[in-house]
């Protein structure tokens, strides 16, 4: 008698749990043909998995290479420039720094760079904001992510600055203090003045009856504490807990014989965060403090400046309160209010016009995104000084970048699968073997319960549907058709774009191309370019790009020919000046210009485009070597007779002795005066006769004036000659151009001596920027 077919648990090839019938011979043996077929399917499945794995590996390698190249050449690394010690970590609260401003009144404040304060030791001509960053404190041995909430304490000619520092190790706020003896241009870090077990900020420092007090914000501890200095400025002791409320940003001021405390309590139900303000009064800073009858004074929109933003100040007999607008982001900008009525029963204030110079450089400016704190005080000279904090990014920027970077990576993964499906390298989205399914025995008593839909069967059904959808997509969009090719190309392009976006968000940090400080100081330079009417297209793009570099103070356009444009016609983030010349001469590039306000000038041709980070690195190297020509295009002048060659020749012989001044930093005082000296008159005449070689002449003049190195090279990550796109390149015939310059070399060598012995090797500096 033959055996009957026996039902067994299993799955069909296309769906959820179903029946799989095994034919048998009564002894449980499986047909040999079935066995062979199974082995064939296994080998085929292994082959498919192997090819799929190879596809994914290749995709990761290719997109990884693209992302690496993009990160190498197009993205500034996510590191804070100038930091040599632990600190300056990416922080969701921001990258706050501190700046100094001066004015004849609190309402006419200008940044320190506008005052032309020069410091020779750090080659800061002039000193520029910020005067203090996370690097300032980190390099002094106190790792910090950012510095904010500055308060001044003035003792004669000595300024003390108390401020919040976000500790890079504990990730909590401490109170640090620094000292200045030159009106805030240079600060010496003294150390940490106050460190508690909870977060501290807003160190409100003031005098009262011969004692020095500090009321820092410690709202996370749920109270307001007042500390007294026992050994100013670094030793403080807790004097008293004056309010048992989590008050934010407490400010105390004396008005008409009574002390007033302004602060915000964001803990109450129905409180508008950063839009609430309360007021207390007392006869002593130690209390008792009584609430104002109209508390809360404000519980309104956060854009209206309710939250304190610094020390209240008195000007012309009027009391002013500083608030912060937290509308677009926390601490977006500072607002000032004139207090008209302040009694135990009434309070009234009105907003008055107030603004600091807002940069349009975006994230390349140290305060491009927000300012939220101001302390302005009058010096003994009658001048007003203010300390302000600023940030180049909005609140929560690092979290936003992480989310966008993660989303980009996930999207790239999905697109890799999609491309694989279109190419046929991926046969299924989710292998069914990955989906859970029932494998146990079915008994008659449990058959009804087993046949009900369960979670594993639903997941397996979902997997099957995804795989059928991928098969349908591949069938409808074949890669060998026109539509399929277009879809595939678009998908690949999107994957590459998202890869680059992910690299930018993860590796590139905030996207800011920051300046590089030297000895704790930032500075500025003037950008000088020479052009004429036919190259206006180049100039428009040039001005828009370079005016947003952090250290650029002004752009001077030397107009050699044609009708000059109006300065207002350019999209510039800095002042632009058109200097019209009477004679079309290359010597005009180095003409002495008393209106230039910086010591450093960057002579940069209008057809050269490079990143702001490259420009900032060149400026940093020039500040280390202000007596040299520091630039981006090296040449090696050698041979008999002397022959002008391109950069490849310099690379071949691993050295250079000339830097082209079409992209180079110079000392505007020394270089221009040297170029227009009597000794250089014959050389200038040669430049006019050839209409060429002004940069070569400058190199000879520098070398002739120094027995040591006269040039330094900085390698740009990338540089583009935009004249190639506009058809107005000055030196189109390279061979003829090089021939003229070779003649110049020979004649200049006769006049000023040879450069052949001045060869410098690449990769000789420790910064690694001259490779």
């Amino acid at each position: 008698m033959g055996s009957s077919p026996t039902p067994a648990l299993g799955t069909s090839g296309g769906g959820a749990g179903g029946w799989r019938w095994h034919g048998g011979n009564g002894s449980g043996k499986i047909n040999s043909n079935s066995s062979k077929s199974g082995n064939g399917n296994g080998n085929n499945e292994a082959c498919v998995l192997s090819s799929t794995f190879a596809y994914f590996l290749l995709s990761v390698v290719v997109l990884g290479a693209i992302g690496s190249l993009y990160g190498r050449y197009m993205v500034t690394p996510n590191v804070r420039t100038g930091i040599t010690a632990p600190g300056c970590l990416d922080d969701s609260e921001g990258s706050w720094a501190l700046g100094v401003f001066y004015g004849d009144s609190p309402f006419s404040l200008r940044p320190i760079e506008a005052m032309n304060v020069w410091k020779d030791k750090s080659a800061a001509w002039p000193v520029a904001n910020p005067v203090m960053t996370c690097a300032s404190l980190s390099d002094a041995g106190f790792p910090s992510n950012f510095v904010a909430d500055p308060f001044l304490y003035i003792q004669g000619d000595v300024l003390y600055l108390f401020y919040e520092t976000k500790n890079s190790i504990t990730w909590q706020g401490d109170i640090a203090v620094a000292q200045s003896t030159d009106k805030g241009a240079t600060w010496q870090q003294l150390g940490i003045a106050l460190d508690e077990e909870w977060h501290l900020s807003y160190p409100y420092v003031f005098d009262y009856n011969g004692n020095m007090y500090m009321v820092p914000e410690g709202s996370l501890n749920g109270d307001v504490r007042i500390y007294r200095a026992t050994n100013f400025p670094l030793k403080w002791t807790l004097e008293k807990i004056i309010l048992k409320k989590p008050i934010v940003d407490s400010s105390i001021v004396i008005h008409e014989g009574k002390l007033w405390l302004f602060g915000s309590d964001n803990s109450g139900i129905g409180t508008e965060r950063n839009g609430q303000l309360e007021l207390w009064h007392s006869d002593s800073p130690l209390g008792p403090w009584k609430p104002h009858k109209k508390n809360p004074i404000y519980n309104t929109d956060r854009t209206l400046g309710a939250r304190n933003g610094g020390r209240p100040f008195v000007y012309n007999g009027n009391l002013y309160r500083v608030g912060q607008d937290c509308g677009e982001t926390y601490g977006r900008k500072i607002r000032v209010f004139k207090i008209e009525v302040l009694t135990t029963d009434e309070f009234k204030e009105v907003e008055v016009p107030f603004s600091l110079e807002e940069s349009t450089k975006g994230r390349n400016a140290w305060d491009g995104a927000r300012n939220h704190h101001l302390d302005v005080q009058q010096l003994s000279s009658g001048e007003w000084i203010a300390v302000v904090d600023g940030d180049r990014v909005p609140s929560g920027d690092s979290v936003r970048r992480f989310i966008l970077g993660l989303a980009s990576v996930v999207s790239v993964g999905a697109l890799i699968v999609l491309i694989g499906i279109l190419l046929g390298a991926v046969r299924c989205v989710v292998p069914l073997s990955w989906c859970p399914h029932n494998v146990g025995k079915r008994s008659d008593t449990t058959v009804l319960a087993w046949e009900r839909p369960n979670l594993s069967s639903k997941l397996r059904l979902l997997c099957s549907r995804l795989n059928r959808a991928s098969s349908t997509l591949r069938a409808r969009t074949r890669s060998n058709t026109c539509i399929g090719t277009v879809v595939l190309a678009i998908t690949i392009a999107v994957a590459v774009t998202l890869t680059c976006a992910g690299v930018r968000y993860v590796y590139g940090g905030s996207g800011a191309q920051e300046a590089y400080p030297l000895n704790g100081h930032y500075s500025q330079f003037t950008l000088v370019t020479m052009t004429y009417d036919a190259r206006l297209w180049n100039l428009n793009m040039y001005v828009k790009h370079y005016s947003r570099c952090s250290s650029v103070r002004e752009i001077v356009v030397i107009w050699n020919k044609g009708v000059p444009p109006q300065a207002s016609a350019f999209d510039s983030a800095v002042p632009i000046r058109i200097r019209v010349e009477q004679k079309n001469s290359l010597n005009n590039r180095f003409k002495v210009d008393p209106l230039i306000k910086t010591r450093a000038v960057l002579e940069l041709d209008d057809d050269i485009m490079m990143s702001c980070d490259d420009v900032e690195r060149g400026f940093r190297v020039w500040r280390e070597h202000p007596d040299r020509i520091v630039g981006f295009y090296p040449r090696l002048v050698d041979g008999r007779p002397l022959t002008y060659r391109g950069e490849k020749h310099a690379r071949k012989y691993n050295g250079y002795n000339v830097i082209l001044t079409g992209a180079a930093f110079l000392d505007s005082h020394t270089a221009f005066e040297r170029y227009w000296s009597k000794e250089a008159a014959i050389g200038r005449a040669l430049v006019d006769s050839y209409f060429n070689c002004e940069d070569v002449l400058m190199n000879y003049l520098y070398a002739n004036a120094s027995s040591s190195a006269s040039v330094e090279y900085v390698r740009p990550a990338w540089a583009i000659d935009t004249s190639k796109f506009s058809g107005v390149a000055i030196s189109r015939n390279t061979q003829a151009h090089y021939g003229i310059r070779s003649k110049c070399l020979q004649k200049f060598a006769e006049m000023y001596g040879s450069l052949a012995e001045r060869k410098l090797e690449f990769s000789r500096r420790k910064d690694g920027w001259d490779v």
Side-chain angles (χ1 to χ4, degrees):
M1 183 180 291
S3 62
S4 302
T6 307
L9 279 174
T11 60
S12 64
W19 296 99
R20 182 174 64 226
W21 294 87
H22 293 288
N25 57 8
S27 61
K29 294 181 179 179
I30 301 174
N31 186 282
S32 60
N33 291 333
S34 299
S35 177
K36 291 178 180 179
S37 176
N39 290 334
N41 290 337
N43 293 334
N44 184 50
E45 182 178 355
C47 182
V48 169
L49 290 176
S50 177
S51 63
T52 301
F53 175 77
Y55 162 75
F56 281 117
L57 180 62
L58 179 62
S59 300
V60 171
V61 170
V62 170
L63 290 176
I66 293 173
S68 298
L69 289 173
Y70 178 78
R72 169 67 178 83
Y73 293 105
M74 301 303 293
V75 177
T76 304
N78 183 23
V79 293
R80 298 280 183 83
T81 56
I83 181 69
T84 58
C88 291
L89 304 178
D90 222 9
D91 197 298
S92 62
E93 289 189 68
S95 56
W96 295 95
L98 308 181
V100 173
F101 291 70
Y102 303 95
D104 296 328
S105 79
F107 299 97
S108 61
L109 299 173
R110 303 180 67 198
I112 190 172
E113 54 265 27
M115 311 308 291
N116 285 325
V117 178
W118 287 25
K119 292 295 177 181
D120 293 340
K121 184 178 180 181
S122 56
W125 305 306
V127 174
N129 279 327
V131 297
M132 194 180 301
T133 67
C134 58
S136 308
L137 200 58
S138 297
D139 285 340
F142 306 96
S144 171
N145 286 354
F146 63 77
V147 291
D149 291 355
F151 282 98
L152 282 171
Y153 186 90
I154 302 176
Q155 283 188 337
D157 294 331
V158 180
L159 305 181
Y160 293 94
L161 186 65
F162 293 84
Y163 59 93
E164 173 196 354
T165 171
K166 180 74 171 287
N167 190 303
S168 299
I169 299 174
T170 64
W171 284 77
Q172 92 176 7
D174 300 326
I175 304 304
V177 60
Q179 173 185 288
S180 174
T181 56
D182 57 4
K183 288 175 53 178
T186 306
W187 294 91
Q188 176 189 358
Q189 300 299 326
L190 300 181
I192 303 300
L194 193 60
D195 180 7
E196 294 284 15
E197 295 181 358
W198 54 88
H199 178 87
L200 297 175
S201 62
Y202 204 83
Y204 192 91
V205 181
F206 65 99
D207 272 335
Y208 187 79
N209 285 349
N211 290 317
M212 302 175 190
Y213 294 105
M214 181 196 300
V215 181
E217 188 218 305
S219 59
L220 290 181
N221 197 48
D223 55 28
V224 178
R225 301 184 172 210
I226 187 168
Y227 297 79
R228 178 174 50 84
T230 56
N231 187 9
F232 186 83
L234 286 174
K235 298 296 183 181
W236 299 80
T237 185
L238 175 63
E239 190 75 358
K240 188 177 181 181
I241 298 176
I242 58 175
L243 282 174
K244 293 186 177 181
K245 295 188 68 175
I247 302 300
V248 174
D249 297 348
S250 300
S251 297
I252 296 177
V253 64
I254 299 176
H255 180 68
E256 295 183 352
K258 189 175 287 291
L259 279 79
W260 302 87
L261 188 151
F262 295 84
S264 301
D265 181 2
N266 294 324
S267 63
I269 298 176
T271 298
E272 290 290 334
R273 184 172 181 81
N274 297 325
Q276 197 257 20
L277 180 67
E278 295 185 6
L279 183 59
W280 291 265
H281 55 88
S282 175
D283 295 324
S284 164
L286 303 181
W289 289 92
K290 300 177 182 178
H292 196 275
K293 290 184 177 180
K294 289 194 173 182
N295 273 350
I297 300 299
Y298 294 125
N299 189 26
T300 184
D301 188 89
R302 60 185 179 180
T303 65
L304 299 181
R307 180 167 176 171
N308 286 329
R311 185 190 303 273
F313 61 91
V314 176
Y315 177 66
N316 285 344
N318 296 311
L319 177 62
Y320 295 86
R321 185 181 70 85
V322 182
Q324 53 175 301
D325 178 345
C326 296
E328 300 172 19
T329 181
Y330 167 68
R332 172 63 185 89
K333 64 180 180 180
I334 296 166
R335 301 182 117 175
V336 175
F337 302 86
K338 179 182 176 182
I339 297 177
E340 296 187 335
V341 179
L342 179 55
T343 67
T344 56
D345 298 320
E346 298 293 332
F347 176 81
K348 181 183 178 182
E349 65 179 11
V350 294
E351 185 171 6
V352 295
F354 178 86
S355 66
L356 298 170
E357 290 186 13
E358 288 194 23
S359 173
T360 55
K361 294 184 178 184
R363 297 193 175 201
N364 288 348
W366 72 279
D367 58 349
R370 48 185 177 157
N371 300 103
H372 87 327
H373 186 99
L374 166 76
D375 185 6
V376 58
Q377 298 188 39
Q378 192 170 23
L379 300 173
S380 58
S381 62
E383 183 181 24
W384 289 79
I385 183 174
V387 285
V388 177
D389 61 10
D391 196 358
R392 63 181 73 249
V393 297
S395 179
D397 183 71
S398 63
V399 175
R400 181 189 67 87
R401 285 187 277 109
F402 173 77
I403 293 173
L404 290 175
L406 182 62
S408 298
V409 171
V410 172
S411 299
V412 168
L415 288 175
I416 289 175
V417 173
L418 178 59
I419 294 170
I421 290 173
L422 296 177
L423 293 174
V426 177
R427 300 298 179 88
C428 60
V429 178
V430 183
L432 290 181
S433 58
W434 293 6
C435 301
H437 58 284
N438 293 297
V439 294
K441 291 184 179 181
R442 180 185 73 98
S443 67
D444 291 338
T445 59
T446 62
V447 63
L448 292 178
W450 178 85
E451 287 177 344
R452 295 193 193 103
N454 53 40
L455 181 60
S456 63
S457 65
K458 290 180 180 179
L459 286 175
R460 192 163 178 81
L461 179 61
L462 176 62
C463 295
S464 299
R465 288 177 175 174
L466 286 174
N467 290 337
R468 282 199 299 270
S470 66
S471 300
T472 302
L473 177 63
R474 184 168 58 248
R476 293 184 177 181
T477 313
R478 297 185 179 276
S479 59
N480 58 355
T481 64
C482 182
I483 295 179
T485 302
V486 171
V487 172
L488 184 62
I490 293 175
T491 306
I492 292 174
V494 173
V496 170
T497 301
L498 287 174
T499 298
C500 295
V503 170
R504 185 174 72 253
Y505 289 127
V506 175
Y507 175 72
S510 68
Q513 298 187 42
E514 302 181 34
Y516 291 75
L518 178 65
N519 297 330
H521 276 145
Y522 292 85
S523 189
Q524 292 182 324
F525 62 87
T526 301
L527 190 60
V528 178
T529 190
M530 188 166 59
T531 190
Y532 61 101
D533 51 2
R535 297 163 68 89
L536 191 57
W537 177 83
N538 289 50
L539 186 61
N540 281 319
M541 184 167 53
Y542 175 101
V543 168
K544 182 176 182 179
H545 173 67
Y546 288 115
S547 70
R548 284 157 175 82
C549 294
S550 181
S551 299
V552 174
R553 175 167 181 164
E554 180 188 28
I555 297 178
V556 177
V557 177
I558 304 170
W559 196 261
N560 260 3
K561 187 175 66 175
V563 179
Q566 295 294 320
S568 59
F570 297 97
D571 179 6
S572 179
V574 299
I576 181 168
R577 177 162 56 93
I578 312 294
R579 197 180 82 200
V580 180
E581 299 293 344
Q582 300 301 316
K583 179 182 177 181
N584 185 13
S585 170
L586 295 180
N587 290 320
N588 292 334
R589 180 193 294 273
F590 304 121
K591 184 174 287 187
V592 176
D593 188 343
L595 296 180
I596 290 178
K597 300 172 183 176
T598 64
R599 184 86 173 262
V601 295
L602 172 58
E603 293 278 356
L604 187 61
D605 288 346
D606 65 335
D607 53 9
I608 294 177
M609 296 293 290
M610 64 179 69
S611 72
C612 286
D613 182 63
D614 288 330
V615 170
E616 296 294 350
R617 289 190 294 115
F619 185 40
R620 165 63 187 266
V621 174
W622 180 85
R623 291 178 64 194
E624 293 175 335
H625 308 283
D627 58 334
R628 304 177 189 179
I629 301 174
V630 177
F632 304 92
Y633 290 91
R635 297 291 186 267
L636 179 62
V637 172
D638 59 5
R640 293 187 180 180
L642 290 175
T643 305
Y644 183 87
R645 302 178 180 89
E647 186 174 339
K648 288 183 179 180
H649 178 72
R651 294 289 177 185
K652 180 179 179 180
Y653 292 96
N654 188 34
Y656 61 97
N657 50 20
V658 167
I659 291 293
L660 300 188
T661 58
F665 283 93
L666 302 166
D667 183 333
S668 63
H669 292 184
T670 303
F672 294 175
E673 291 173 1
R674 189 174 289 165
Y675 192 86
W676 287 91
S677 65
K678 292 181 179 179
E679 294 77 12
I682 301 175
R684 294 197 306 272
L686 189 66
V687 169
D688 278 338
S689 65
Y690 283 133
F691 203 74
N692 205 324
C693 305
E694 81 286 356
D695 52 350
V696 179
L697 173 58
M698 182 63 83
N699 276 267
Y700 271 95
L701 295 175
Y702 258 78
N704 190 48
S706 174
S707 59
S708 60
S710 60
V711 293
E712 289 291 343
Y713 168 63
V714 176
R715 182 169 186 169
W718 55 268
I720 301 174
D721 183 355
T722 60
S723 67
K724 299 296 190 295
F725 304 103
S726 62
V728 291
I730 294 176
S731 307
R732 295 183 182 180
N733 189 330
T734 303
Q735 186 174 358
H737 177 63
Y738 279 23
I740 294 174
R741 292 171 83 80
S742 295
K743 293 179 182 179
C744 291
L745 290 174
Q746 297 160 24
K747 292 184 179 295
F748 289 154
E750 295 174 2
M751 299 175 189
Y752 308 109
S754 176
L755 292 175
E757 305 302 322
R758 296 298 191 97
K759 176 182 174 182
L760 301 174
E761 292 185 352
F762 293 106
S763 302
R764 46 180 275 276
R765 291 199 313 272
K766 293 181 179 180
D767 56 33
W769 294 343
D770 61 340
V771 294

